[in-house]
Amino acid sequence: MHSFYLDAPGAVGQVAALPKDEAKHAAKVLRLREGDAVCALDGAGGRFSAEVVRAQGERVELRLTAELPPNEPPVRLTVYPGLPKSDKLEFMVQKLTELGAAACVPVVMARSVARPDARDGEKRRERLERIAREAAKQCRRARPAEVDAPLDWPRALERMAGHELLIVPWEGAGSLRMGELRAECPGAKDIAIAVGPEGGISEEEVAALRAHGARVVTLGPRILRAETAVVASAALAMALWGDL
C-alpha cells in the first residue's frame, strides 16, 4: 500500500486533496485510480487508511476512512552527529527516521571535514528534510525526523545539555555499556546521543560533554565508522528505552 503526506492534520471522514508534488507522483507515476486503497500521513502524528475518491489530471483526493494506530515511540530521541560528508549524513537521516528518532542535528566538531557556510547548510537541510519525509513514507511513520541546519560547537553543546539524558558513544570510554546505563536511568523520555564525525570526537569535546552531564559509553571493542555508530547507538537506545 502506497503512503502519502497531507498538507494539514486529518480526521476520519474528511476528503483531503494531496499536495501538488504528492498528487503528481500518485497520478503520473503510480497511476492510482478511484477506489484504490492508500495510507495517508498528516505529519502531525495522524495515520489513516484512505481511499482515492478522485484522480483527475494532477488532482488527487482521498477520503480518510479509519485512523491507524500511532507508531511514534514513547521516547524522544535526538541524535547529534559530528558533521560528516553529505552522502553519509543523508544515510544517517534516512535510517534515523526509520528507527523512530525525533530529530537529527548535525554539529560542526573539531574533526569534521565538511565546513558548510550558512547558505550551504540551509540548502542541505532542505534536501535532508525531503529524505526524511520519503523515509517516513516508506516506513509509514506519522512524523518524519526533524532535521536542523548544522550547529557550531558552542550552540550545540548548550542544546545538548538541555536533554534529560545525554549519551556519548566513544572508543575511549571505559566499560559502561548502554544496557547498564538503561538500568541506571530506566525512565528517561528525552534522550540525546552525540556521535563524532569521521575522524572521531576529540578528547576535549568529550570532556566538555562530561562537564555538562553526559554519560560516555562503549559500543564494543571494534572501532565503528561514524555512520555505523550513529545507526547502532540509535537502534540500541530505541531497543532499550523505545519500542524496537
Side-chain angles (χ1 to χ4, degrees), residues 44 53 122:
V53 295
E122 185 60 27

Side-chain angles (χ1 to χ4, degrees), residues 98-216:
E98 293 176 24
L99 287 167
C104 176
V105 185
V107 180
V108 180
M109 295 185 181
R111 295 172 181 165
S112 292
V113 176
R115 299 280 172 169
D117 58 29
R119 184 177 177 182
D120 286 342
E122 185 60 27
K123 202 170 176 184
R124 178 182 292 187
R125 184 186 65 81
E126 292 173 359
R127 173 170 171 76
L128 293 172
E129 283 182 337
R130 290 195 297 271
I131 289 171
R133 191 178 176 92
E134 288 304 312
K137 284 169 60 176
Q138 183 275 325
C139 65
R140 297 184 190 171
R141 184 178 172 188
R143 289 188 178 96
E146 302 164 12
V147 183
D148 282 15
L151 293 181
D152 59 31
W153 178 250
R155 287 190 298 159
L157 187 60
E158 181 180 0
R159 181 165 168 179
M160 285 187 278
H163 291 276
E164 179 184 0
L165 177 61
L166 174 57
I167 303 171
V168 182
W170 185 44
E171 65 271 15
S175 59
L176 181 65
R177 296 179 181 272
M178 210 177 288
E180 295 166 329
L181 183 57
R182 165 65 171 75
E184 292 182 27
C185 310
K189 296 296 182 185
D190 176 23
I191 299 174
I193 300 176
V195 181
E198 290 97 336
I201 192 167
S202 71
E203 292 186 12
E204 293 77 14
E205 287 165 334
V206 172
L209 288 163
R210 276 185 163 137
H212 284 77
R215 304 298 301 276
V216 181

Side-chain angles (χ1 to χ4, degrees), residues 38-134:
V38 297
C39 177
L41 311 168
D42 68 7
R47 303 192 316 136
F48 304 88
S49 57
E51 177 185 5
V52 178
V53 295
R54 179 179 179 183
Q56 297 178 357
E58 291 185 1
R59 183 170 180 83
V60 176
E61 295 179 353
L62 309 179
R63 177 177 289 110
L64 309 184
T65 56
E67 191 162 4
L68 298 173
N71 64 356
E72 284 300 292
V75 62
R76 179 177 175 84
L77 177 65
T78 304
V79 180
Y80 294 85
L83 187 64
K85 296 176 182 178
S86 59
D87 56 336
K88 293 182 179 180
L89 186 56
E90 291 173 6
F91 174 84
M92 292 175 188
V93 167
Q94 182 187 65
K95 301 312 172 190
L96 289 173
T97 298
E98 293 176 24
L99 287 167
C104 176
V105 185
V107 180
V108 180
M109 295 185 181
R111 295 172 181 165
S112 292
V113 176
R115 299 280 172 169
D117 58 29
R119 184 177 177 182
D120 286 342
E122 185 60 27
K123 202 170 176 184
R124 178 182 292 187
R125 184 186 65 81
E126 292 173 359
R127 173 170 171 76
L128 293 172
E129 283 182 337
R130 290 195 297 271
I131 289 171
R133 191 178 176 92
E134 288 304 312

